[in-house]
Structures are given as C-alpha cells and as structure tokens.
Amino acid sequence: MTIKRIHTGSPFEAKIGYCRAVVAGGFVHVAGTVGQGDTVQEQCRAALDVIGKALAEAGSSFDKAVRVNYYLPDAAEFEPCWPILTEVFGANPPAATMVECNLIDPKYRIEIELTCLA
C-alpha cells in the first residue's frame, strides 16, 4: 500500500511529530486542525481552509468527506458554526460527532478532524 504524507509546515507538525494529512488505503485522514481568529466562527473557517488545502493536495475535497469529528471546549459554541459547516459540506454531509473537551491551548475554540475518500 502506498502512503502519502502531507505537511503544511506548521511548527506543531515538527514539535509533536505528525503531518496534516495521510493518504492511505483509499482514504485521506486529516489530523485535528485548529484555526486562527478571535471567535469560534473565525477559527472554524480558518481550520476548514487549512483542511481544504490539504485535501486538494491529496486529490480530494469536502464533497468526498465520510467522517468528521468536532472538538470544542464549550459545546454551546458549536451551534454558531453550523451555517459554516452546512455551507462547506452542502449536499454531501459526512457522518459527524461533536465532543466537548479541552484543547491543546485555551485560545482555541474548535478543532476539526476529517476523513475523506481519496
């Protein structure tokens, strides 16, 4: 099986020892991704932008998403993201899970992990 690793150059990739995405076995597995911004909506859009670029490099796109996990330190902040997520996934929504938990840094309001068909 061929494995392709996609790096974005984030300093966390080197510090922690991971890559943004791995293409293997007909799937693209995108690592948990946070985004920059002051609000959960800004961070959601920024994270999806990073994910979208990794998917493009992998030869995939959001319309091939099969599974998404959302991690938020405050579950009440998930609903403001719904319109953004509906816009991104459109008529091809993946199976989804939302988990309330701590993230690596309190400044982050959402982390998104995604699996797509390659």
Side-chain angles (χ1 to χ4, degrees):
M1 171 176 35
T2 302
I3 296 175
K4 178 181 179 182
R5 295 180 193 331
I6 297 170
H7 298 272
T8 61
S10 164
F12 289 112
E13 291 175 7
K15 287 180 184 179
I16 298 171
Y18 76 99
C19 57
R20 178 62 43 213
V22 175
V23 183
F27 291 94
V28 182
H29 304 274
V30 182
T33 304
V34 296
Q36 301 301 312
D38 294 327
T39 67
V40 69
Q41 296 98 323
E42 289 171 349
Q43 290 187 18
C44 182
R45 284 191 188 281
L48 290 167
D49 183 53
V50 171
I51 291 168
K53 289 175 183 171
L55 291 175
E57 187 173 337
S60 189
S61 59
F62 286 110
D63 66 332
K64 295 181 181 179
V66 295
R67 183 83 180 138
V68 64
N69 295 313
Y70 305 104
Y71 305 98
L72 293 92
D74 181 356
E77 289 194 326
F78 189 44
E79 190 170 351
C81 296
W82 294 356
I84 299 164
L85 302 172
T86 301
E87 175 187 323
V88 168
F89 292 110
N92 302 294
T97 300
M98 191 286 292
V99 177
E100 184 178 49
C101 62
N102 292 324
L103 299 180
I104 196 165
D105 187 307
K107 70 181 177 184
Y108 297 121
R109 309 307 311 146
I110 188 168
E111 184 169 343
I112 304 170
E113 177 183 47
L114 186 70
T115 303
C116 291
L117 294 174

